[in-house]
Amino acid sequence: MPEQMTRESTTTAAVVLATTPACRLACADGTLVDRLSGQLGELPVREVHIVPSGGGLADDLRAVAHLARLTHGPVVVLPADIVAHTESLALLLEHPSHDTAALVSPDRPPGPLHPPVRLQGARVAAAGSSFHTVPEANATFLSVLQVGEADLGCLADISDELADLVSAGRLGPVTAIEATDLLLVGLVRSGVGVRAAQIGPLHCGRVTGQSGVDSAVTRLADVDEARVRLDTAVKTDDGFFATHFVSSWTKPVVRLAARLKLKPNSVTGISIGLAVLAAVWFTYGARWAQVLGGVLFYLSFVLDCVDGQLARYTREFTPLGAWADGMADRFKEYLVYAGLAIGYAAGLGNPDGIWYLAVGAMILQVTRHTVDFSFSGAVSDAARVGAAWARPPRSLMEPADQGPHGIRARLERDTLTRWLKKMIVLPIGERTALIAVTAAVFNARVTFLSLLGWGAVALLYQLIGRIERAST
């Protein structure tokens, strides 16, 4: 039976395979097994099972199957001869979905300790080992595999099946160091969705000798984990306005909020408060009040971005936070609509149909959100039954720039085209900018007419896209 170390519950169980002699090599924290156990102790890991060496590959796989059948919650399987940044392990263990995922790198060339994989979008489409080849591989697997609770039964069955194949000698040259590689192959070939967690500038790799350990540990110091964590928390490919006029300067704000021990939900609350103040100033109708309202509404959106960035930075994800963030966006926007309409009517002494425009803009936005959410629900349902149209767009799956999908892929890589496609759907950042600028420079009538015009184009674009995808 494997050794077991437990800590008070969070979410994940870890299975550490101490198969190779390298895992007993020395480092500053003792042995590699000791170092890895210490790192797992810093992460949301409920218990650590160490599968000792000496049993061979088949026994390791059967130990994984046994633990998968007994464990509740996600399971992460990794070899003990690995040297990694704690932050790289956290990419799996602290991800809010707690799903089935593999740590991969598109930059590292494949090798005996880093088998090839093929990524399609954010998923692992094919995985290899010394027995299984991967045509058109575009990344490598870094031997750290997390299996979500829903897939534990599949993991147990695959582990037992692989153990039987190994015992029968039907997997050719596979060796004891390939347990995680084989498990990934089995999961992918069984149709389990495996998210690809890309490591970025962080380090994670297996070692074979003392010089390799020393070199790998030294390389860890070349990367500032805290900085990488902050960079990762701030999206660099959000909407155009959010990316270039908010996320470009909010990292210090996120760091300050973390130091003040603010919770993401607290930041959401402050964002709502600023939007309420913006709506109040909009009701005055005077030019100075419109300008102040526009500035406050922009700052409200800044904090709306910061709450998500802070959640990713501190990894404090909650269902309440996700729900509150989505509801707050709608509440703030529609409250500002009301403030603008009140201020316009008060300033002119004549509503001049402003309430019809405000209600029309609100109905249009509700319709657009309904189209989005209903389509997302349909995709989720279709994916569960394996419908082809629910798969990722073909442009993400094309290995080469050939045919119509290759043309689409090239367009996706074109910066101007990519940003135009993001802007045309009038996301929350663009709506915030539109409202703040037109209200401050012109008046509420211009604001609502702009929202209706751009929103109608966005709705048409969305409908065409949804119909085209659902019809393929």
Side-chain angles (χ1 to χ4, degrees):
M1 288 296 293
E3 304 171 28
Q4 178 176 317
M5 299 177 291
T6 63
R7 56 176 283 184
E8 292 197 3
S9 171
T10 45
T11 55
T12 305
V15 180
V16 179
L17 303 175
T19 300
T20 66
C23 67
R24 300 295 175 185
L25 293 172
C27 61
D29 303 311
T31 66
L32 286 185
V33 175
D34 298 330
R35 184 181 189 280
L36 186 57
S37 298
Q39 289 179 292
L40 293 171
E42 299 173 15
L43 296 168
V45 174
R46 180 176 64 254
E47 54 195 12
V48 178
H49 304 272
I50 300 179
V51 180
S53 59
L57 177 57
D59 285 349
D60 284 354
L61 292 168
R62 290 193 176 98
V64 172
H66 176 72
L67 293 169
R69 291 192 171 96
L70 293 179
T71 301
H72 299 286
V75 170
V76 63
V77 184
L78 68 170
D81 58 1
I82 201 165
V83 175
H85 282 113
T86 303
E87 188 64 23
S88 67
L89 302 178
L91 293 174
L92 293 184
L93 292 164
E94 292 190 344
H95 193 276
S97 65
H98 303 299
D99 58 351
T100 298
L103 204 60
V104 301
S105 172
D107 303 317
R108 177 172 296 177
L113 299 178
H114 302 107
V117 294
R118 186 173 74 251
L119 306 184
Q120 291 179 345
R123 295 286 177 180
V124 179
S129 69
S130 59
F131 183 76
H132 305 89
T133 60
V134 179
E136 300 173 335
N138 55 9
T140 57
F141 175 45
L142 302 180
S143 299
V144 184
L145 175 66
Q146 178 174 278
V147 181
E149 185 171 15
D151 297 323
L152 287 182
C154 188
L155 173 66
D157 293 340
I158 288 169
S159 299
D160 278 337
E161 182 180 354
L162 286 169
D164 292 340
L165 291 173
V166 169
S167 297
R170 297 178 59 188
L171 292 184
V174 295
T175 64
I177 67 172
E178 296 183 76
T180 52
D181 309 344
L182 292 172
L183 291 174
L184 179 60
V185 171
L187 289 169
V188 171
R189 294 193 173 197
S190 296
V192 174
V194 180
R195 179 173 55 87
Q198 296 197 26
I199 197 171
L202 296 168
H203 292 308
C204 178
R206 302 180 72 174
V207 294
T208 56
Q210 190 61 54
S211 62
V213 173
D214 297 338
S215 175
V217 171
T218 300
R219 284 199 305 273
L220 296 182
D222 296 337
V223 177
D224 185 342
E225 286 186 81
R227 182 171 182 175
V228 171
R229 181 168 182 164
L230 182 59
D231 290 343
T232 304
V234 177
K235 294 180 180 179
T236 57
D237 196 28
D238 209 342
F240 179 83
F241 184 78
T243 298
H244 296 284
F245 295 93
V246 177
S247 297
S248 58
W249 62 269
T250 53
K251 289 179 184 177
V253 180
V254 175
R255 191 183 295 112
L256 176 62
R259 287 177 180 171
L260 295 174
K261 299 188 183 304
L262 290 177
K263 301 295 183 182
N265 289 350
S266 301
V267 178
T268 301
I270 299 171
S271 173
I272 294 173
L274 289 177
V276 171
L277 289 175
V280 170
W281 286 116
F282 281 143
T283 62
Y284 282 87
R287 176 60 53 206
W288 64 269
Q290 299 293 102
V291 172
L292 181 56
V295 171
L296 288 172
F297 192 47
Y298 165 71
L299 293 177
S300 173
F301 176 68
V302 169
L303 292 185
D304 186 47
C305 294
V306 168
D307 63 3
Q309 294 167 358
L310 181 63
R312 289 187 290 274
Y313 182 61
T314 61
R315 297 199 175 95
E316 295 182 3
F317 302 99
T318 64
L320 175 62
W323 174 80
D325 187 43
M327 291 296 292
D329 289 345
R330 309 288 85 76
F331 172 77
K332 292 186 300 182
E333 186 173 353
Y334 300 152
L335 186 66
V336 163
Y337 286 3
L340 285 168
I342 292 172
Y344 183 87
L348 294 181
N350 178 9
D352 194 26
I354 196 67
W355 284 106
Y356 292 108
L357 294 176
V359 172
M362 187 179 300
I363 291 174
L364 180 59
Q365 292 307 321
V366 169
T367 302
R368 292 184 56 236
H369 291 309
T370 300
V371 170
D372 268 347
F373 289 128
S374 61
F375 186 78
S376 297
V379 169
S380 179
D381 291 341
R384 279 195 288 270
V385 298
W389 68 272
R391 296 170 186 163
R394 287 288 301 276
S395 61
L396 297 176
M397 301 171 65
E398 287 288 344
D401 293 340
Q402 298 174 356
H405 298 299
I407 295 172
R408 185 182 299 177
R410 289 195 298 274
L411 289 175
E412 287 291 333
R413 289 195 297 269
D414 181 77
T415 301
L416 177 60
T417 303
R418 181 165 54 87
W419 286 122
L420 286 175
K421 289 180 67 175
K422 286 178 174 291
M423 293 171 65
I424 195 173
V425 295
L426 191 57
I428 182 65
E430 274 63 17
R431 294 203 303 277
T432 297
L434 184 65
I435 293 168
V437 172
T438 56
V441 177
F442 303 104
N443 56 46
R445 186 178 185 83
V446 174
T447 298
F448 292 131
L449 288 173
S450 300
L451 286 170
L452 287 167
W454 194 343
V457 172
L459 177 59
L460 180 63
Y461 180 83
Q462 287 173 278
L463 286 172
I464 293 174
R466 301 301 186 260
I467 293 171
E468 178 187 13
R469 181 174 171 188
S471 301
T472 56

